[in-house]
Amino acid sequence: MPVVDPAAADGVFSLLWLVIALPALGAAVLLLGGRRTDAWGHLLGVATVAGSFVLSLVAFVGLLGRGADDRAFTQHLYTWIEAGGFRVEASLLYDPLSALFLLLITGVGALIHLYSVGYMAHDPRRRRFFAYLNLFVAAMLVLVLADDYVVLFLGWEGVGLASYLLIGFWQHKPSAAVAAKKAFVVNRVGDLGMALGIMLMFATFGSTAFAEVSRVATEATDGVLTALGLLLLLAACGKSAQVPLQSWLLDAMEGPTPVSALIHAATMVTAGVYLVVRSNFIYENAPVAQTAVVVVGAVTLLWGAVIGCAKDDIKKALAGSTMSQIGYMMLAAGLGVAGYAFAIFHLLTHGFFKANMFLGAGSVMHGMDDDVDMRHYGALQKAMPVTFLTFAMGYLAIIGFPGFSGFWSKDKIIEAGFEDNLVAGLAALLGAGITAFYMTRLMLMTFFGEKRWEKGVHPHESPKVMTVPLIVLAALSVLGGVMLLGDWIVGFLAPVVGEAEHHTPAVPPIVMTLVVVAVVAVGVATAWLLVGRREVPRTAPQRVSVFTRAARADLYGDAINEALFMRPGDRFVGDLVTFDNAGVDGAVNGTAAAFGGMSGRMRRWQNGFVRSYALSVLVGALVVLVAMLAVNLA
Amino acid sequence: MSSAAVLAAEFQAPSFEYSLLSPLLVIFGVAITGVLVEAFAPRGSRYLLQAVLAVLGVVGALVATVIVGLNLVSRGGGTAHGSIAAEGAIAVDGPSIFIWGTVLVLSLVSVLLFAERRLEGGVLSFAGQAAALPGTEAEREASTRGLEHTEVFPLMMFAVGGMMLFPASNDLLTMFVALEVLSLPLYLLCGLARRRRLLSQEAALKYFMLGAFSSGFFIYGIALVYGYAGSMNFAAISAAVSGRAGGEGLLLGGIALLAVGMMFKVGAAPFHAWTPDVYQGAPTAVTAFMAACTKVAAFGALLRLFYVAFGGARWDWTPMVWVIAILTMVVGSVLALSQTDVKRMLAYSSIAHAGFLLTGFVGAQQVADVGIGEITSLQAVLFYLVTYGFTTVAAFAVVTVVRDAGGEATHLSRWSGLGKESPVVAGVFAVLLLGMAGIPLTSGFTGKWAVFTTALAGGAWPLVVTAVLFSVVAAFFYVRVIVLMYFSDPVGEGPTVATPSILTTIVIAVGFAATLALGVVPGPVLDLAAAAGEFIR
Amino acid sequence: MELYMPVVALGIIATGFAVFSIVMSAVVGPKRYNRAKLDSYECGIEPTPQPVGGGRFPVKYYITAMLFIVFDIEIIFLYPWAVAFDNMAVFGLVEMILFILTVFVAYAYVWRRGGLEWD
């Protein structure tokens, strides 16, 4: 397992700080500049992220020019915290893993910024929207460029804040405000794990820097390492909407669609996967925690997929799918060295096709007067040809149509899963089938069949500024698989995550691929039989099976949370309040009253007469005198 | 042999280190010049002349202090530096220089407060004609003619001179003279308020009588100690104490009585009774000056007297100081709870601070006791004095600008709703109060931290526990005022905040800035206090 | 203790003298009273009638008394200097001039501010 041991940044890598500084500056200018920046704020927002992308690209090219063992750089900015033995350097770490994330965040980020110029054109608070987006990008970049868990935590909280602000961007809608709050609260649970993990790390290793921790990780006891792994997993679950902290992601769709695309599909929600992969030096030594990661991934990939099957809201269906796909990545990350690279690979391809589809969904909503109910869609392939075609590319990618990017990445995870154990493999395989089902359902309901449009709705294609990003992302969805050519990505990431030794799988890969394709075909066919051949009712049928009902209710995620945590919590807090009022306040107020009474009695000595004061001086002097003599001469 | 011949054989002209004592000489020179200005300058030009003279004098003395401070001779293996001057009467050493600097900077700020004229509509906030009976025709006439007592400036300079001499005196007699030189002008200044003159005159008389009373104890103590040691000089007393030549009763009695005189000046219980009455009655500018500078000077003298002269008898006087410190914290914190007047509340707060300072004083950590990076009790107390001084001056300066028709609105009920009336003034006052309460990121916290840690290191943990407990009690009444300012509705028309001239504004700004700066970056001043080293003897 | 015997003796003699003279004058002296003799003594001038509560007395007396003390102190210092003048030479002269000048500052203040005018 590799040790993080970066060289000092020089040349083009010394511009790394600028990658973060640009969007941070953009956010600062837009937030502090106020209305004066309304006219050109969105352009600045796009420009800063585009600038960061160019820098990331230059740095990436620079990285490719180096040897495989010379691809990690650190740029020291300043000492952030120094307290006794605790020292946190504000340093940036640029290695193959961060490099890929940089490209994803700034590249997809820039496209989504561009798309937002059109999508938010009529929103009076567009400038503020771009400020928050820039803030998000800056925070996300801090997260992936950190070389210390504390600095990472700074970015982690920063993206949490940006996510909160953007989910609740339309704060006039109570549902958006509630969703933002929910996301924030659920994420707090994960953040608690992160904070405790960092503390435990410092207590164990005396440092929180990747380099130091990775160097001495093996010296800790198994118990500590397992605890660390589980705490970090808890953090990852919160940020990446994994079971049991999955409930916030569906509500988060209340945010504007570009936000859903950027934050809740392509980048932020994958931070959990990044954390697990980045912490490989801990997980490799904590097999129990690794197994937990696999379990979480497997459960979530089915959980999300099932939810995706029952949703009529296009964005929620996609959100369920996101949850499920991140489950795949988690599963891969939990497989250890064999899976890290594939987790990241799937993360990247997912970033492309899911962003593509979310933006496509946004484009559809744009044309349908912000209606999100797929039962009101239908036959849109003619009205919105560009959106349809780009969306179709994303669709083919996600179901794993041979040749498309998702095919390569998902296939690898399923293969690796089967190699690890049968249950994980079967879950992944089953997930692929369900994915094919719900995505086909979504496609059919949106773009094919009869028109079920509301009155007065005239779907139209979106403006260029929105379709161009769609086209670019569609192209990436198709071609993302090239990263696997000659196992390039595996070799590229090897310095960070290690490389598994090759051995011949029990089942030949080609057989496995055929099985997967067959399962996917079954999923597609089922969807065709159930949705495509029948007429879609304009209102959701109420007389449905228990399973559909459960899936519609997000598999009772909220109900479980409420029953297990909220209500007992409510009761506990109520009891605490009672205790606080009666016990604690009683004691405090009693003490205060006692002192007040004492004060009232003592002030009588301060009667204003010099003779009394003089007497008190005299008595005091006598007491001092007698005390001195008595104590010392006795 | 005739007596003249005896004199001729023994007389030698005393040497006098003018350069070392230049800060003192500048201040006294300015004070005397001020009296001459009063005598010969025309009435119209006196205000400007006196104010400028006072400012220049204090600045000049400050410059001289810095120069003297930079040229001190190292002694005692580098832990102390300085020289004994004026034939053994004055010790110009690190702590002296530090206290001189502190007193002078605080005095400079106070001079500005004295010189404020806008708040009273173009005249000083001191009585127009002190001799005119309150409420008589003569007083009204003095008021309409716009009379002013510009004597306040030379009086203040005399007091500053005394305050500088007091902590630097190296024998008991010089110390006593310094005590009187600093006290007498203050007695007078206390009685010079323009508004509420009866209260002011009562305060002056009380202060004078009780001050004279305590001076009696002090001089009695001098007599007893002289009887024991056979010398007034601190070094000689120290030698006698270490040698323990017998006559314990004389020494212990002398220490006790000297302590009474000192504790009266620093306002420690049970010798504190004058403080609230005098702080309330005196003109607020004088209260500010007195509360800040007198406390600094008196603590300086207390430290020198007990560490240098009676250092060898430390175990004899420590229990007494423990009792006084606890009593002082209790009285200051608890009595402040029931105060309804801002100035009285601040007076009790200053008593409580005296208690906290005594806590640091009693730790008696010397250079030999502390490790690298730690500070001695002396240095901790000096640092606390700086933090306390700035916050106090600024707090009283804020009191001068909150006014109603009758002058300063000192009753606390008049302060309710100030947060709405003037967010800036209320905000500044809130920060100053938090500073006094010792909330982190203000100077009060670092100051308390310094004295409590040295007291802990000195083994005085019960005292520190008490101090922390009563800090909490004290925090209650500070925060109460903040609550009053921000969360209560104004009574009647509510308070008005007068716009002061640039002078008072500077005072408030400096105190406010110091309160924050010493809370966030206490390093430089702590280093300065550490550089002051130990007393020389 | 022997050292202090003369002091004690002096005190006893002084007390004895005071007691003796008061007792003797009461015993031997003639007792003829008149109005002036029964009146209160006030620096040899006509006693002024006192209002209830003491009232005010002219501050002029106070100023005069203070000035007297200023000069009194000056004399106290001047006297030993005069005795030891020969020995202290120039140093003594300079110091005395400085001292007198300082005292005169206060005097000048009183003079300029009208402290010497009786009415």
Side-chain angles (χ1 to χ4, degrees), chain C residues 3-4 13 19 24 32 39 45 48 54 58 61-63 69-70 72 74 76 81-82 87-88 97 102-103 105 115:
Chain C
L3 207 63
Y4 293 103
I13 293 172
V19 172
M24 281 315 283
R32 283 188 299 275
D39 222 340
I45 60 165
T48 39
Y61 293 114
Y62 172 76
I63 292 173
I69 291 177
V70 169
D72 219 20
E74 195 178 353
I76 288 175
W81 171 64
N87 302 314
M88 294 172 75
I97 289 171
T102 314
V103 172
V105 167

Side-chain angles (χ1 to χ4, degrees), chain A residues 617-634:
Chain A
V617 172
L618 184 65
V619 170
L622 284 177
V623 169
V624 166
L625 198 59
V626 170
M628 276 290 276
L629 295 175
V631 167
N632 293 294
L633 298 183

Side-chain angles (χ1 to χ4, degrees), chain B residues 420-436:
Chain B
K420 292 192 191 82
E421 169 69 28
S422 174
V424 176
V425 170
V428 168
F429 198 62
V431 170
L432 295 173
L433 288 173
L434 291 177
M436 290 188 184

Side-chain angles (χ1 to χ4, degrees), chain B residues 3-5 7-8 11 13-14 18 32-33 35-36 38-41 43 46 131-133 148-151, chain C residues 56 59 80 83-89 91-92 95 98 101-102 104-113:
Chain B
S3 63
L7 280 171
F11 178 78
Y18 289 97
I32 289 172
T33 317
V35 176
L36 286 176
E38 217 41 57
F40 295 104
R43 191 184 290 281
R46 278 183 212 151
L133 263 191
E148 291 179 301
H149 272 304
T150 42
E151 282 95 338
Chain C
R56 310 180 76 198
V59 80
V83 173
F85 178 77
D86 285 346
N87 302 314
M88 294 172 75
F91 173 81
E95 289 291 311
L98 281 177
L101 277 181
T102 314
F104 264 57
V105 167
Y107 181 66
Y109 174 72
V110 174
W111 162 53
R112 287 288 299 173
R113 298 303 290 270

Side-chain angles (χ1 to χ4, degrees), chain A residues 205-290:
Chain A
F205 305 118
S207 171
T208 54
F210 294 156
E212 177 64 13
V213 174
S214 67
R215 199 170 58 76
V216 296
T218 46
E219 292 167 18
T221 61
D222 284 354
V224 168
L225 284 166
T226 306
L228 268 179
L230 291 177
L231 286 171
L232 292 180
L233 175 63
L234 181 64
C237 284
K239 197 58 85 194
S240 292
Q242 300 293 292
V243 176
L245 297 179
Q246 83 291 2
S247 64
W248 63 271
L249 185 63
L250 291 164
D251 297 82
M253 296 300 124
E254 288 291 343
T257 306
V259 172
S260 311
L262 178 61
I263 300 184
H264 305 118
T267 54
M268 185 191 82
V269 286
T270 59
V273 181
Y274 172 80
L275 182 67
V276 174
V277 174
R278 177 56 86 191
S279 309
N280 61 70
F281 40 80
I282 288 170
Y283 284 101
E284 287 303 306
N285 295 308
V288 178
Q290 242 175 352

Side-chain angles (χ1 to χ4, degrees), chain B residues 347-426:
Chain B
Y348 279 108
S349 143
S350 100
I351 294 173
H353 281 294
F356 299 139
L357 280 160
L358 285 174
T359 304
F361 162 68
V362 92
Q365 286 286 295
Q366 311 258 328
V367 170
D369 308 331
V370 302
I372 309 270
E374 293 179 334
I375 51 172
T376 64
S377 297
L378 170 64
Q379 292 152 3
V381 171
L382 290 181
F383 178 72
Y384 194 108
L385 285 170
V386 174
T387 65
Y388 162 82
F390 279 103
T391 310
T392 302
V393 168
F396 279 111
V398 170
V399 171
T400 64
V401 301
V402 179
R403 308 176 76 89
D404 57 17
E408 291 161 6
T410 57
H411 199 274
L412 269 178
S413 66
R414 306 285 301 152
W415 284 59
S416 53
L418 194 71
K420 292 192 191 82
E421 169 69 28
S422 174
V424 176
V425 170

